[in-house]
Amino acid sequence: MANRSPTVELAMQLITQPSVTPTDAGCQAIMIARLKSRGFKIENLRFDDVHNFWAVHGDSGPIFCFAGHTDVVPTGPLENWSHPPFTPTIVDGQLYGRGAADMKGSLAAMVVAAEQFVTDLPDHKGRLAFLITSDEEGIAVNGTVKVVDWLQQQEITPQWCLVGEPSSSSQTGDTIKNGRRGSLGCRLTIKGKQGHVAYPHLAANPIHSGIPALNELTREIWDQGNDSFPATSFQISNINGGSGATNVIPGTVEVLFNFRFSTELTEGQLRDRTEAILDKYPIEYEAEWNLSGQPFLTVKGDLVEAAITSIAKVTGLESELSTAGGTSDGRFIAPMGTEVVELGPINESIHRVDENVSIADLDVLTAIYQDILQQLLS
């Protein structure tokens, strides 16, 4: 126990709480108690069954905000884990447990960095804040997006925001996410006419009629990307049709697909181009679209430069800026005009059985976070 740092101890305490999305399971109460003891003012923001909070230290000036989530993905079969997922276990310098990397380790590093910063500099410049939710790994409708609405109603806009997502590839700090692609999904229903497979002339098979259109969608080059984003990606994730019987031609087929798109295209352009391709074929269809996030990019400025400088100072690494990967809650924060980066531990084990993080890396992350605060708020 004596050899464990404050960050590792707090990470273990948070992992113990079985906060499977959207349940918080007491994680936020642990964080709030520690922040309150350092003079943070707390706003508990509950929307439906989701716990969120906004905490702030300081009364005026630009706001630096740590953002993150206490919820974790389900564990899957417990027998597949080498160690119980909510019993934090250290083996060979690695901390095992659900949420160790995504993102209770980052939350612990944020809290400890903030504690040390306000203790050393209680009258710091500006304001230091936390935006924490328990609805990031799920449907994400009552979490950060609702807190952002509340912030805007209060006329509060963070100037800088660091999201503690596990951004690193092989060494903590080697990658900073300074943007994300947009995500546009579609539930496409292609209609036909059900019938017996022995009498195809009396039916209309929507799978057969839909395949040429789907094939063209998969072959379409949507854009070439740009210096900050890879080319837009179209992926079919599910095709479902039929009654389960081998002798029945289905009446409909449902196709789920998703675009991860760059700033080269808008949501509207993607919809229009998709439906233009579908309209070329003799099919009847309905398209139900769902935009879960717009692309965003934080160009080099105070926050990006502070992150790069702090990582180099603490680790000696030259960080790479990246917009790769899935979506994060940064997509809700960036539209406020806030500079947003994601910076956290190695992401190799996230959402997997035996999720783990290096305990040494948690202390490295704490030092990076604290140095960023010193650059921006001192």
Side-chain angles (χ1 to χ4, degrees):
M1 294 291 290
N3 294 327
R4 293 176 186 163
S5 71
T7 301
V8 173
E9 289 287 358
L10 179 54
M12 295 178 73
Q13 188 179 7
L14 294 173
I15 291 169
T16 301
Q17 318 306 314
S19 55
V20 176
T21 191
T23 302
D24 170 67
C27 292
Q28 293 181 26
I30 293 169
M31 297 175 67
I32 286 169
R34 293 184 64 141
L35 293 172
K36 268 189 174 180
S37 71
R38 293 304 199 279
F40 280 79
K41 298 174 183 176
I42 310 294
E43 290 281 353
N44 287 292
L45 302 168
R46 179 164 179 164
F47 302 107
D48 289 340
D49 60 344
V50 172
H51 289 274
N52 312 278
F53 76 84
W54 171 257
V56 63
H57 191 279
D59 298 317
S60 63
I63 300 172
F64 175 95
C65 173
F66 283 121
H69 60 90
T70 55
D71 59 321
V72 298
V73 295
T75 64
L78 297 180
E79 61 270 20
N80 292 341
W81 287 71
S82 302
H83 316 283
F86 297 113
T87 302
T89 306
I90 297 175
V91 178
D92 296 330
Q94 296 293 123
L95 172 59
Y96 288 82
R98 177 58 87 216
D102 188 14
M103 58 177 291
K104 293 181 176 181
S106 296
L107 295 178
M110 291 173 180
V111 170
V112 173
E115 289 173 335
Q116 294 173 350
F117 176 73
V118 300
T119 298
D120 294 342
L121 199 63
D123 298 321
H124 57 82
K125 294 192 301 184
R127 288 169 283 178
L128 172 55
F130 281 75
L131 190 170
I132 305 298
T133 184
S134 64
D135 183 29
E136 195 273 347
E137 297 289 9
I139 57 176
V141 297
N142 289 309
T144 299
V145 65
K146 290 284 184 67
V147 178
V148 166
D149 288 343
W150 179 85
L151 289 173
Q152 292 181 311
Q153 291 167 12
Q154 309 302 312
E155 298 183 346
I156 298 171
T157 302
Q159 182 165 336
W160 310 290
C161 180
L162 190 154
V163 185
E165 290 291 346
S167 62
S168 303
S169 299
S170 58
Q171 294 178 269
T172 290
D174 62 5
T175 305
I176 300 168
K177 299 290 177 68
N178 67 319
R180 290 283 191 168
R181 293 174 294 175
S183 178
L184 176 64
C186 183
R187 182 185 302 272
L188 176 69
T189 302
I190 301 173
K191 299 178 181 181
K193 183 178 180 181
Q194 190 179 67
H196 197 292
V197 297
Y199 303 96
H201 60 288
L202 300 177
N205 193 321
I207 298 176
H208 292 186
S209 62
I211 284 175
L214 295 176
N215 183 53
E216 182 168 346
L217 289 171
T218 65
R219 297 166 65 89
E220 178 76 359
I221 297 174
W222 302 94
D223 61 36
Q224 300 293 336
N226 54 38
D227 290 343
S228 299
F229 288 91
T232 291
S233 168
F234 169 89
Q235 292 294 319
I236 295 173
S237 57
N238 189 274
I239 299 178
N240 183 42
S243 63
T246 60
N247 60 351
V248 177
I249 294 171
T252 61
V253 62
E254 185 178 271
V255 182
L256 302 180
F257 59 82
N258 180 268
F259 288 99
R260 293 301 165 101
F261 63 103
S262 74
T263 50
E264 293 294 301
L265 292 170
T266 67
E267 167 204 1
Q269 289 172 322
L270 286 172
R271 291 188 185 200
D272 290 345
R273 287 176 59 182
T274 299
E275 292 178 5
I277 290 173
L278 293 171
D279 289 342
K280 290 165 57 177
Y281 295 87
I283 58 175
E284 182 182 357
Y285 69 89
E286 291 181 357
E288 180 184 344
W289 294 93
N290 177 49
L291 178 69
S292 58
Q294 295 279 9
F296 70 90
L297 179 70
T298 295
V299 298
K300 279 194 175 182
D302 291 342
L303 179 58
V304 171
E305 294 292 352
I308 290 172
T309 300
S310 294
I311 290 167
K313 178 179 177 181
V314 175
T315 70
L317 294 173
E318 184 176 339
S319 298
E320 175 187 354
L321 296 178
S322 171
T323 60
T327 59
S328 79
D329 275 0
R331 69 190 189 273
F332 303 127
I333 299 167
M336 289 192 288
T338 303
E339 295 178 35
V340 178
V341 299
E342 298 170 28
L343 175 55
I346 296 170
N347 56 28
E348 189 267 341
S349 70
I350 62 173
H351 291 208
R352 285 174 38 184
V353 167
D354 288 341
E355 181 181 348
N356 65 90
V357 67
S358 162
I359 59 174
D361 284 355
L362 292 182
D363 293 330
V364 167
L365 198 59
T366 305
I368 293 170
Y369 288 169
Q370 188 175 356
D371 193 77
I372 291 172
L373 294 178
Q374 289 169 347
Q375 288 191 62
L376 296 176
L377 297 182
S378 64

